[in-house]
Amino acid sequence: MGSEKVFTTAPSPESEGIPSQAILNFLQRIDAERICMHGFLLVRHNRIAAEGYWAPWSAERMHRIYSVSKSLVALAVGMMIDEGRLTLDDRVAEYFPDKLPEELHPWLAASTVRDLLTMATPHSTTSYTRDDPDWVWTFFNRTPSHPPGTIFSYDTAATVVLTATVERLAGMPFLDYMRPRFLDRIGFSADAWCIRTPEGVSWGGSGIICTLRDIARVALACMNGGMWGDERVLPEAYVRAATSSQIDNAIRGNCGYGYQIWREPENGFSFRGMGSQYAICFPDKEFLFTCIADTQGAPVGSAIPAVMREELYPHLADAPLAENRDAHAELCDKIERLAVLPIPGGPDARAALEVNGVWYALADNPMGITRMRLSFEEDEGTWEYTNGQGDNVLRFGIGRVLSGKFPQRNYFGEQIGSVPGIEYDCLASAAWIDEQTLNMEVYITDIYLGGLRVSFAFKGKEIGVFMTKQAEWFLDEFNGFAGGRCL
């Protein structure tokens, strides 16, 4: 198949051996189980069999892919190896003489590119925190716990060091290095980019911002052994090794790990990112499942792959199927109407009139909120509160999701540690759970993804509040209980 025919859209899922009814069942379960999906894309036989997005997400909108970024870093390393600029057995400390302590621990001195690719570093946890000014430095200056190349221990600092190695050798950001030979040739977005670490290295462990189609293109090239149509865009031997099991991680319930790429059942492999960013490849079936989402804080983080394996994978056919026009029409309608769902509950309650616009003074609490009030008007509301940041206002929908800004201004932006003072894009909704309890749900939909859930319960002139956040490195002050009385 020529390169110009790769990643084109099939006339129907049935033409690629996927029943429209199976995809419809998958989408209905996602919504029924209230899984916060942002987009899905199915590729079969190199063609797009189905694609959809939950509004306000779209095919063109960039999305944080979190640890899926790691798999791209691994491919950059493979390109460097193919060019003879790096080897799997190189000791990474040799590339960072300026980051080393006077007495480097022998286990850190012995750590190789292979060790870091396979998450077999000598550290038991990621060496850096958000407050460290130099993340690569921490890798070589924290005391290790075991010899490298022995035990699988998921360590994002390994990817940070690999990224920095590629960027030192290339003299440019790793995505720019990958573009001419690989990314541009597969149609990867020209405006995709990567958040930077405090020292200015691309945060290859978690920070790529791109589209779902970009993820699918990279995964498809890997599933095809480094080919894009009839063009070789990645080194074959390296891709085969990277997607094969290189180290055991069964004790953690997994199927093995390659080079920053996970192994899957059914002879598959996957790119995985926090919050359910997935590209799951099944070469034997020529099937690729990709999605973007935000399931942080959800009870089961692997719910999306489980639904896929129950509703889609068993129904893949080896030959084209007869088109089911009714199911296809229903599927197209379902995809057209996909949208992030509001929090469930009622639009009104007895307490709504009594508390509308009433200020409450709160006793000392972990959130540092001194006063707050809720106001309602038809299917919208506002939450006003005062904390150490000052006076804040959040608008939310009632029975619907409302786009807006979340009033927290410790946003990191394009580089960790740099705070530009802007607010996060968000979606917010609220609903009455009973006659005295209003629940609110906020999804942060910026380059940083996360969520906040709040319960306001009223009793006479008193109020009780509970907040819980699901986000990495922000919304930290929105966790805990508070109580107070109307002013």
Side-chain angles (χ1 to χ4, degrees):
M1 178 180 288
S3 298
E4 73 281 355
K5 296 181 181 179
V6 178
F7 214 68
T8 57
T9 301
S12 71
E14 280 81 7
S15 67
E16 305 307 320
I18 309 177
S20 290
Q21 186 63 53
I23 303 172
L24 183 61
N25 293 344
F26 168 80
L27 296 177
Q28 289 171 337
R29 270 196 62 184
I30 291 294
D31 279 355
E33 296 182 19
R34 299 194 56 79
I35 299 172
C36 187
M37 287 273 281
H38 295 165
F40 82 101
L41 192 154
L42 310 181
V43 178
R44 190 90 198 276
H45 307 130
N46 292 305
R47 297 211 289 180
I48 299 173
E51 180 181 18
Y53 299 87
W54 281 254
W57 301 97
S58 67
E60 295 75 27
R61 181 168 172 169
M62 296 284 173
H63 195 282
R64 173 87 171 271
I65 64 172
Y66 288 96
S67 287
V68 170
S69 308
K70 291 178 171 69
S71 301
L72 273 78
V73 171
L75 298 178
V77 170
M79 292 167 62
M80 283 265 169
I81 291 172
D82 190 56
E83 293 169 4
R85 303 168 74 177
L86 197 63
T87 76
L88 289 170
D89 296 321
D90 285 356
R91 297 189 175 194
V92 291
E94 296 175 1
Y95 292 98
F96 301 97
D98 54 319
K99 308 282 188 182
L100 306 182
E102 289 187 8
E103 295 186 14
L104 181 63
H105 195 288
W107 290 343
L108 290 165
S111 298
T112 65
V113 169
R114 188 194 313 272
D115 296 334
L116 272 61
L117 283 171
T118 57
M119 293 295 185
T121 77
H123 291 300
S124 55
T125 60
T126 296
S127 60
Y128 64 83
T129 70
R130 60 178 164 183
D131 299 319
D132 286 306
D134 188 328
W135 291 358
V136 173
W137 181 92
T138 67
F139 183 84
F140 298 107
N141 287 270
R142 299 281 189 261
T143 302
S145 58
H146 56 276
T150 57
I151 296 293
F152 176 88
S153 180
Y154 196 74
D155 179 5
T156 301
T159 320
V160 169
V161 173
L162 289 171
T163 308
T165 303
V166 170
E167 296 193 348
R168 286 197 168 193
L169 291 172
M172 65 184 74
F174 83 100
L175 286 178
D176 291 346
Y177 160 69
M178 298 178 77
R179 285 191 180 282
R181 178 177 170 184
F182 175 45
L183 298 181
D184 289 346
R185 293 168 69 183
I186 66 171
F188 197 89
S189 296
D191 54 348
W193 60 284
C194 189
I195 298 166
R196 299 186 303 280
T197 68
E199 67 266 39
V201 174
S202 299
W203 191 10
S206 183
I208 292 179
I209 314 293
C210 66
T211 68
L212 177 57
R213 290 179 180 178
D214 292 332
I215 301 172
R217 288 174 184 274
V218 173
L220 183 60
C222 289
M223 193 166 74
N224 288 331
M227 297 295 289
W228 189 256
D230 54 11
E231 293 184 68
R232 174 149 299 284
V233 292
L234 291 169
E236 180 179 12
Y238 182 85
V239 170
R240 296 298 183 198
T243 57
S244 301
S245 183
Q246 299 293 334
I247 191 168
D248 173 72
N249 55 8
I251 200 168
R252 299 173 182 263
N254 293 294
C255 300
Y257 195 76
Y259 298 154
Q260 308 276 290
I261 294 172
W262 300 83
R263 287 294 298 173
E264 297 284 338
E266 303 97 8
N267 192 34
F269 64 87
S270 66
F271 308 163
R272 303 183 195 173
M274 183 178 73
S276 296
Q277 325 313 318
Y278 285 108
I280 307 178
C281 303
F282 302 95
D284 296 348
K285 291 286 190 179
E286 294 186 75
F287 176 58
L288 167 61
F289 170 87
T290 60
C291 72
I292 48 177
D294 185 14
T295 60
Q296 295 175 76
V300 182
S302 60
I304 295 172
V307 176
M308 178 272 293
R309 282 190 164 88
E310 293 170 13
E311 301 294 350
L312 292 176
Y313 187 84
H315 303 287
L316 298 176
D318 294 330
L321 300 168
E323 184 176 355
N324 184 333
R325 293 186 178 181
D326 290 342
H328 189 219
E330 190 176 353
L331 172 62
C332 291
D333 180 65
K334 175 66 174 176
I335 290 174
E336 183 69 23
R337 293 185 292 105
L338 290 173
V340 174
L341 299 174
I343 191 169
D348 204 356
R350 182 182 63 249
L353 287 176
E354 299 170 0
V355 306
N356 187 18
V358 175
W359 281 103
Y360 288 83
L362 301 185
D364 289 346
N365 59 81
M367 291 77 73
I369 297 176
T370 57
R371 66 171 191 158
M372 60 146 286
R373 73 172 175 179
L374 293 161
S375 302
F376 310 102
E377 185 174 353
E378 297 181 351
D379 62 352
E380 292 186 14
T382 57
W383 176 37
E384 299 170 78
Y385 61 93
T386 301
N387 62 7
Q389 183 178 267
D391 295 331
N392 307 275
V393 178
L394 173 70
R395 297 175 60 245
F396 55 86
I398 301 174
R400 68 186 184 96
V401 172
L402 194 63
S403 299
K405 294 284 188 179
F406 187 79
Q408 185 191 35
R409 292 179 282 280
N410 62 351
Y411 182 103
F412 278 141
E414 297 181 6
Q415 183 167 2
I416 302 299
S418 175
V419 183
I422 58 178
E423 298 177 346
Y424 296 85
D425 292 335
C426 74
L427 303 174
S429 65
W432 291 94
I433 306 306
D434 55 37
E435 290 300 318
Q436 63 181 36
T437 308
L438 180 77
N439 283 357
M440 178 189 298
E441 189 167 56
V442 181
Y443 290 120
I444 304 298
T445 56
D446 220 292
I447 61 173
Y448 299 86
L449 301 173
L452 171 66
R453 297 184 179 96
V454 186
S455 187
F456 305 98
F458 302 93
K459 178 184 177 184
K461 296 181 179 298
E462 296 178 319
I463 185 174
V465 181
F466 171 66
M467 301 184 185
T468 178
K469 70 102 177 183
Q470 306 82 36
E472 182 182 51
W473 293 357
F474 69 104
L475 301 181
D476 294 345
E477 61 268 49
F478 296 93
N479 256 326
F481 294 85
R485 190 176 180 83
C486 65
L487 292 172

